[in-house]
Amino acid sequence: MSQHHSINYLEIPVKDIIATKAFFTQVFAWQFQDYGPQYSCFLRVGIDGGFYQADSQFTLAKGSPLIVIYSQDLSATEAKIIQSGGQITKAIFSFPGGRRFHFTDINGNEYGVWSE
């Protein structure tokens, strides 16, 4: 049951649905449910959401919120991102509570990855 007034769903613009699903499957082992050729939901990743076909992209420089993904092994996740065609935009750094880095996926969308 959904919690009243909680953030419940994210919709993320991507240029290429098929390539995006391949990237997130290779790097994070995400699973997807397709709803036509221009929309795919990601399943059981901590919050519900989906990727939709669009020509736009989001980055912190454009004022977009940062979607942050948890990893038990930052270095291994960073290597998978690079191997899968993503780019590291901010190297691993410490912050109160842990360490993180930022990357862009194959669409140019910016995300963070953090660990304790």
Side-chain angles (χ1 to χ4, degrees):
M1 182 171 185
S2 296
Q3 192 174 33
H4 185 61
H5 289 171
S6 65
I7 295 174
N8 180 258
Y9 201 84
L10 299 174
E11 290 194 328
I12 300 171
V14 298
K15 295 176 183 177
D16 185 327
I17 296 282
I18 293 170
T20 300
K21 287 172 31 182
F23 177 85
F24 281 88
T25 297
Q26 291 167 4
V27 176
F28 300 107
W30 287 9
Q31 297 177 351
F32 297 91
Q33 171 68 51
D34 293 338
Y35 292 96
Q38 296 183 333
Y39 197 91
S40 187
C41 291
F42 40 85
L43 307 171
R44 294 175 290 283
V45 302
I47 189 168
D48 292 334
F51 294 119
Y52 66 92
Q53 187 92 32
D55 289 329
S56 59
Q57 59 189 181
F58 60 87
T59 64
L60 290 178
K62 293 181 180 179
S64 298
L66 183 65
I67 298 171
V68 182
I69 300 164
Y70 178 77
S71 172
Q72 292 179 344
D73 186 340
L74 284 182
S75 296
T77 301
E78 182 180 53
K80 282 184 176 181
I81 287 167
I82 294 166
Q83 182 181 45
S84 299
Q87 296 183 348
I88 305 306
T89 57
K90 190 169 187 178
I92 295 173
F93 64 95
S94 295
F95 68 95
R99 298 169 48 229
R100 80 177 195 209
F101 67 89
H102 295 186
F103 73 95
T104 53
D105 69 4
I106 57 169
N107 301 285
N109 291 335
E110 186 175 8
Y111 299 83
V113 178
W114 85 282
S115 189
E116 286 94 7

